[in-house]
Amino acid sequence: MLDLWYTENHTDNVKFSIKTTEHLLTEKTPFQQIDFFKSEEFGTFFTLDGLMMVNEKDEFVYHDMITHVAMATNPNIKKVLVIGGGDGGTVRELTRYASLEQIDMVEIDERVVRLSQEYLPITAGKLSDPRVTLSFEDGLAYVKNKEDGYYDLILVDSTDPIGPGEGLFSHDFYNNCFRVLTDDGILINQHESPYYPSYAHEMKRAHSKIKGLFPITRVYQFHMPTYPSGHWLFGFASKKFDPLKDADLDAWNKLGLKTKYYNTDIHTGAFALPTFVKEMLDDA
Ligand code: AAT
């Protein structure tokens, strides 16, 4: 039988390949190119414009880390906005908190949602939770038009800053996020990777913009085997809460949520950054 390999350029000099068993679908939307594949090693996965977004094997790492760090820092969060995240994994983790009242998700490309519902039901299965409202529009325009002080938490679950995700790394966007957050508000953003220079450049740019807007800004790391270099970051920015000093980790443990990556040791440890990353952020 013919071997079919999915290959992605992680840099001009490095390629990453996964042996696939089926190319389930290829579709061009007004926003991007979507491909769904099946594989032995990573299960079903999809790519946007030739970059891995979600696969069944490591999505738990990303979705645990984008959600639980903020939720453990402020247990009184009631209203959340997710920007991007069409696969539904971030919403799935949020719906596990009975305390949440409203989860709004704004995804630019409805096809990502519909195809994830069809091919990745474990990831997308909680988009039907009654607390969830889906809007299909550009997250940049959504926050621009939203009233002041509305959300307790914004999770930016976006693609990289090339293509439709570009605006979600802009100063204007972060500024509007600050404005639509309550005085207790927290912003978590997809913060790229410190390892390969092209990604590190975007990481520094994002950090310097956010640092100029929020009084508290931190960066935390996690291990994503299928993203370039495997070393990935989220940004934590807030008006009031420090994720290390203010998180009530015992209270989070008492909730009894079963997670596969996040735990309260990881909560603290994820903020301990390697020296080269600290130096890049200091200098951003
Ligand atoms: N849960 C991990 C999956 C993603 S996909 C990111 C989503 O952001 C995509 O569905 C894309 O359509 C959506 N998106 C991109 N731009 C916008 C925008 N301007 N407004 C709203 N949604 C948008 C994240 C993967 C991270 C990959 C890191 N290499």
Side-chain angles (χ1 to χ4, degrees):
M1 207 179 81
L2 201 64
D3 280 352
L4 292 172
W5 290 78
Y6 163 77
T7 295
E8 174 175 326
N9 288 342
H10 279 184
T11 75
D12 289 343
N13 308 307
V14 178
K15 284 181 195 284
F16 172 77
S17 294
I18 298 173
K19 190 168 166 182
T20 62
T21 52
E22 204 178 335
H23 191 173
L24 292 163
L25 172 128
T26 181
E27 183 175 321
K28 194 149 177 53
T29 74
F31 307 102
Q32 53 212 345
Q33 166 80 34
I34 309 178
D35 288 275
F36 273 76
F37 300 88
K38 257 182 162 167
S39 70
E40 283 277 318
E41 192 67 45
F42 290 97
T44 300
F45 67 93
F46 79 94
T47 63
L48 295 178
D49 292 336
L51 295 173
M52 169 67 78
M53 293 294 128
V54 172
N55 67 72
E56 288 180 301
K57 192 167 180 174
D58 71 14
E59 60 93 358
F60 72 99
V61 179
Y62 183 100
H63 296 126
D64 269 17
M65 291 304 276
I66 198 172
T67 307
H68 301 304
V69 172
M71 291 303 295
T73 301
N74 177 14
N76 296 316
I77 290 171
K78 302 279 182 240
K79 289 183 182 166
V80 185
L81 172 64
V82 177
I83 295 183
D87 56 273
T90 299
V91 164
R92 178 194 63 206
E93 290 308 307
L94 286 168
T95 59
R96 304 177 70 197
Y97 292 87
S99 54
L100 283 183
E101 292 170 359
Q102 183 179 340
I103 304 169
D104 295 339
M105 188 179 105
V106 180
E107 162 63 56
I108 201 167
D109 195 342
E110 183 172 1
R111 292 301 293 155
V112 176
V113 174
R114 301 303 168 216
L115 293 168
S116 299
Q117 286 172 321
E118 188 176 344
Y119 293 112
L120 289 168
I122 308 244
T123 314
K126 294 287 189 236
L127 290 171
S128 54
D129 185 287
R131 293 167 295 171
V132 176
T133 304
L134 299 182
S135 314
F136 299 110
E137 66 171 286
D138 190 334
L140 184 66
Y142 184 90
V143 292
K144 205 170 259 172
N145 298 326
K146 191 75 193 173
E147 70 216 63
D148 293 2
Y150 192 84
Y151 291 107
D152 305 304
L153 173 63
I154 300 177
L155 302 177
V156 188
D157 184 359
S158 71
T159 42
D160 303 311
I162 320 138
E166 192 179 344
L168 304 182
F169 287 78
S170 66
H171 187 271
D172 193 30
F173 172 70
Y174 296 132
N175 198 28
N176 276 309
C177 287
F178 185 89
R179 188 182 57 70
V180 305
L181 282 169
T182 58
D183 293 340
D184 289 348
I186 298 174
L187 169 74
I188 305 291
N189 70 300
Q190 204 278 85
H191 215 303
E192 301 290 296
S193 168
Y195 195 71
Y196 293 125
S198 62
Y199 290 91
H201 175 72
E202 297 301 343
M203 171 202 86
K204 284 170 74 171
R205 276 182 5 130
H207 191 63
S208 82
K209 290 172 194 164
I210 296 172
K211 223 163 49 171
L213 286 165
F214 284 82
I216 296 162
T217 53
R218 304 269 183 275
V219 169
Y220 61 98
Q221 64 181 3
F222 53 100
H223 177 238
M224 268 309 272
T226 57
Y227 286 177
S229 85
H231 187 182
W232 216 261
L233 307 170
F234 283 125
F236 180 108
S238 118
K239 297 190 185 181
K240 184 166 139 190
F241 294 110
D242 182 290
L244 295 173
K245 295 191 197 109
D246 298 322
D248 187 344
L249 299 179
D250 291 338
W252 190 86
N253 280 322
K254 286 200 190 99
L255 293 175
L257 298 181
K258 192 165 161 27
T259 44
K260 204 163 147 191
Y261 190 88
Y262 177 84
N263 57 49
T264 50
D265 292 336
I266 287 275
H267 181 110
T268 308
F271 288 91
L273 298 173
T275 305
F276 80 97
V277 182
K278 280 194 194 182
E279 285 174 357
M280 280 180 191
L281 293 170
D282 285 348
D283 177 77

